[in-house]
Amino acid sequence: MQILQTNRALLSRLLPGAKPEDLTVRQGQFHQVVIGSDRVVCLPRTEAAAARLPHRAAVLGLLAGFDLGFRTPQPLLEGSAQGTDELPFLVLSRVPGAPLETDALEDPQVAEAAAAQYVTLLTELARIGAEQKVRAAVPAPQEDRWRQFAVDVRAELFGLMSDGGRQRAERELVALDSLPHITDAVVHGDLGAENVLWECNDGLPGLSGVIDWDEVAIGDPAEDLAAVDASYGTHFLNRVLTLGGWSDSTMATRIAIIRTTFALQQALSAHRDGDEEQLADGLTGYR
């Protein structure tokens, strides 16, 4: 809870009336997040993350203008206290709900309800991905995105890996050559369980919101489905694919290939941001 002490003056202004014991602190890849009763304060972990705050606020404001059937954080205040030790910040509305625990899916009714709502979520992201104002504001990757990713990993991360780690990474990077260039939908980019929030309705989960849109882009829905797979396993993923009509073998292949890149994506971003903690975590299996 050191962040509460270090930034006490700033947080007391942004979360007026909140007591430290009533606040929750979570550490994400790019931000430290202080959660109050109705507001969330994002404090960037690095200078690079701080530079991205204005774009993040703009995208969240854009998403808030769509009726998606679930909540997204709305930007309330953005700024930095220049000439002080206080960090730049972004204040967001708090989205109610909590992540769905993996063991909850052992109940077939819960699993069916959750899978159906994941289909709705991904369908809505595909729908707004066709909107011109979204495509103008949300970045789309270059056609050689995965080839360049492989080049950058080899150049920037291979020197930090063991021989066995480099061999593993090389196998994963070579597989990227088979990925097609798809820019059909808004892709959340980090749709793991911790970023999808639910509320209980008559014993069944109801999707309440999606948070942490730092890596949103126009791209391939297989990226978000790979995050579902990583969080809840292949059995649940297959239910989502069946309900969504996405059960073709090409989708499954893309999901499998993309999922293997998650740790390398984290490590590369962390290396560029100078975030040693996230870099070490991303490279755990490569050292």
Side-chain angles (χ1 to χ4, degrees):
M1 302 287 277
Q2 182 179 357
I3 186 174
L4 301 182
Q5 297 299 321
T6 305
N7 299 279
R8 180 185 302 176
L10 175 63
L11 293 171
S12 67
R13 293 201 307 272
L14 301 180
L15 300 170
K19 299 178 181 179
E21 59 267 26
D22 296 329
L23 300 175
T24 301
V25 178
R26 293 181 181 167
Q27 182 165 288
Q29 183 175 352
F30 301 110
H31 304 94
Q32 291 179 304
V33 182
V34 181
I35 304 172
S37 59
D38 60 355
R39 289 182 167 197
V40 172
V41 179
C42 299
L43 301 173
R45 289 166 53 94
T46 64
E47 290 184 5
R52 294 192 292 266
L53 283 181
H55 179 260
R56 185 186 189 204
V59 170
L60 288 172
L62 178 64
L63 291 173
F66 288 95
D67 181 10
L68 297 172
F70 56 87
R71 297 180 182 90
T72 58
Q74 297 188 32
L76 303 176
L77 184 65
E78 176 194 351
S80 61
Q82 295 183 356
T84 73
D85 293 331
E86 292 177 342
L87 292 172
F89 61 84
L90 177 61
V91 181
L92 304 172
S93 62
R94 179 176 179 177
V95 176
L100 186 65
E101 297 296 334
T102 303
D103 58 8
L105 298 177
E106 294 175 5
D107 183 325
Q109 289 185 307
V110 170
E112 187 75 7
Q117 289 171 87
Y118 263 108
V119 170
T120 299
L121 189 168
L122 293 163
T123 299
E124 285 299 297
L125 294 186
R127 176 179 67 83
I128 67 172
E131 294 278 349
Q132 192 57 42
K133 60 182 177 181
V134 174
R135 299 185 75 86
V138 178
Q142 298 294 318
E143 188 167 355
D144 66 347
R145 174 252 181 114
W146 290 115
R147 183 196 66 79
Q148 188 59 52
F149 171 75
V151 170
D152 293 344
V153 167
R154 293 181 181 110
E156 299 179 43
L157 298 182
F158 268 29
L160 305 176
M161 298 178 184
S162 66
D163 289 343
R166 283 190 289 273
Q167 291 172 9
R168 171 188 168 182
E170 186 62 33
R171 290 193 299 271
E172 294 165 351
L173 296 175
V174 167
L176 295 175
D177 291 340
S178 66
L179 289 178
H181 182 60
I182 296 175
T183 54
D184 289 345
V186 169
V187 173
H188 177 276
D190 190 12
L191 204 65
E194 69 278 4
N195 291 328
V196 182
L197 306 183
W198 306 79
E199 294 178 312
C200 185
N201 300 312
D202 297 325
L204 294 176
L207 177 63
S208 60
V210 180
I211 60 174
D212 194 357
W213 294 81
D214 282 354
E215 298 182 77
V216 63
I218 301 294
D220 185 352
E223 296 185 48
D224 282 341
L225 287 162
V228 174
D229 186 16
S231 291
Y232 293 119
T234 302
H235 182 73
F236 181 73
L237 171 69
N238 288 340
R239 190 65 193 138
V240 174
L241 294 177
T242 298
L243 290 175
W246 305 315
S247 296
D248 62 281
S249 60
T250 59
M251 174 68 87
T253 298
R254 300 201 313 272
I255 290 170
I257 292 173
I258 291 169
R259 179 178 172 179
T260 67
T261 69
F262 284 170
L264 292 175
Q265 289 188 54
Q266 174 184 322
L268 185 61
S269 293
H271 184 253
R272 291 173 171 177
D273 280 4
D275 191 327
E276 292 298 327
E277 183 176 345
Q278 288 293 315
L279 173 62
D281 182 64
L283 290 179
T284 298
Y286 299 89
R287 287 180 157 169

